[in-house]
Amino acid sequence: MEPIQLPSPVIRTVGLTKRYGALDVLRGVDLEAREGEVISILGASGSGKSTFLRCLNLLEVPSGGTLNVLGEDVGFRMKGAEQQIADARQVNRLRSQIGMVFQNFCLWSHRTVLQNIMEGPVHVQGRNRHEVRAEAEKALERVGLRERADYYPSQLSGGQQQRAAIARAIVMQPQVLLFDEPTSALDPELVGEVLKVMQDLAAEGRTMLIVTHEMTFARDVSSRVVFLEQGTVRVQGAPQDLFRGGIDERFDRFVSHFSRQG
Ligand code: ADP
Ligand code: MG
């Protein structure tokens, strides 16, 4: 018999911790994301979801544990009382392969949609403008914004701005996409158009980690659900198992709370 080949881990954390002063925000997170997995990260406000994503993207330096991104162990060293990432070039190399989409879009307000999307490939990756322009237009097409290329962010709805932010992430051809509550700042009627784009990306087989309170999306689109509580993984599993209920009482209570709201 041939051994079963698992897809390689894109991200792996073992016992990842993060402390701010006396506050233990992450208290040992073990998580592995393999190629093509779509992982929804659920948890109450303050449970450490954003901090965890920011550690994966190397926007935050973990206090302890191990972090492996795209097959590379990220090395740390102490500088005074603070832990630092040892190799700055590794940070740049890895970060350019990790796409991040934030709650508040974070587009440049004084640049058009197209300029926003071309910014990374041209100025960070140092690529040819003409080539990048064609790819940026393709990325805009992908999120249904081809006609809005020359608009400024303030001329767009929140849903359109978030779709532009997704186009900006995918034009970098990242190995993994991280989303931090991408629909939480949107008016309810605009949530669906953003989730639809994310669902399409998931169907392409992209590796995605998504912090969300959209329970229907988590249940129907993700391949795995991870429930964080007070900085650790309380329970994780296939959505069809977890959402059936009866596996973890606190997860069930969390879900019913959000279902009541939604
Ligand atoms: P979530 O995204 O799950 O709501 P966060 O990761 O944003 O949670 O925050 C977890 C906890 O860490 C919160 O108590 C928050 O106040 C605290 N925290 C987050 N960032 C910082 C920071 N830069 N300095 C101090 N405390 C922080
Ligand atoms: Mg958060």
Side-chain angles (χ1 to χ4, degrees):
M1 282 247 298
E2 288 284 309
I4 296 167
Q5 284 281 314
L6 282 175
S8 44
V10 176
I11 280 167
R12 192 173 69 233
T13 68
V14 181
L16 201 76
T17 64
K18 177 67 187 178
R19 196 177 310 117
Y20 293 111
L23 185 66
D24 284 317
V25 175
L26 300 179
R27 300 184 306 147
V29 178
D30 300 331
L31 185 139
E32 193 169 88
R34 291 183 175 272
E35 216 176 297
E37 279 196 292
V38 176
I39 299 179
S40 289
I41 300 173
L42 310 182
S45 173
S47 57
K49 305 178 300 294
S50 295
T51 303
F52 181 65
L53 281 196
R54 291 169 61 82
C55 286
L56 300 184
N57 200 19
L58 312 179
L59 289 167
E60 287 288 355
V61 183
S63 307
T66 64
L67 172 60
N68 184 288
V69 181
L70 302 170
E72 292 188 31
D73 278 320
V74 180
F76 303 104
R77 62 180 153 89
M78 292 302 285
K79 193 185 177 204
E82 293 284 304
Q83 180 145 273
Q84 259 195 353
I85 294 173
D87 178 357
R89 279 177 314 181
Q90 183 184 38
V91 174
N92 292 330
R93 184 172 64 239
L94 291 178
R95 201 181 280 156
S96 73
Q97 299 185 65
I98 302 172
M100 181 106 181
V101 175
F102 300 92
Q103 185 174 335
N104 293 311
F105 329 132
C106 299
L107 297 166
W108 299 101
S109 59
H110 57 293
R111 298 202 182 128
T112 66
V113 167
L114 186 67
Q115 286 166 348
N116 264 283
I117 290 164
M118 291 178 61
E119 177 77 20
V122 171
H123 292 107
V124 179
Q125 294 177 330
R127 295 181 45 213
N128 173 288
R129 242 175 199 290
H130 290 289
E131 203 182 290
V132 168
R133 192 189 169 99
E135 285 174 26
E137 284 171 350
K138 219 186 289 168
L140 278 177
E141 183 102 55
R142 193 78 203 64
V143 300
L145 285 178
R146 185 71 190 253
E147 281 69 47
R148 296 287 184 272
D150 298 322
Y151 284 52
Y152 286 88
S154 62
Q155 299 171 309
L156 302 179
S157 73
Q160 289 170 332
Q161 289 184 60
Q162 191 59 298
R163 285 186 282 138
I166 293 172
R168 181 184 54 184
I170 62 177
V171 80
M172 300 285 277
Q173 301 174 349
Q175 301 290 310
V176 55
L177 283 169
L178 309 178
F179 296 82
D180 194 357
E181 297 198 36
T183 60
S184 292
L186 300 177
D187 291 334
E189 71 272 21
L190 303 177
V191 167
E193 66 190 61
V194 172
L195 293 180
K196 173 70 172 68
V197 167
M198 291 166 60
Q199 185 169 1
D200 290 346
L201 296 174
E204 285 175 6
R206 290 173 187 267
T207 313
M208 298 162 62
L209 277 76
I210 305 154
V211 171
T212 185
H213 295 305
E214 294 292 332
M215 294 301 138
T216 307
F217 179 89
R219 191 189 62 212
D220 296 344
V221 178
S222 34
S223 48
R224 185 145 51 97
V225 168
V226 172
F227 180 52
L228 279 191
E229 191 179 66
Q230 293 178 16
T232 58
V233 177
R234 162 111 193 165
V235 65
Q236 60 175 308
Q240 59 270 30
D241 296 333
L242 274 180
F243 279 98
R244 197 181 301 128
I247 290 181
D248 183 74
E249 180 241 336
R250 296 194 58 94
F251 177 79
D252 294 348
R253 211 182 310 160
F254 175 81
V255 170
S256 70
H257 170 75
F258 273 95
S259 305
R260 268 205 309 280
Q261 281 194 337

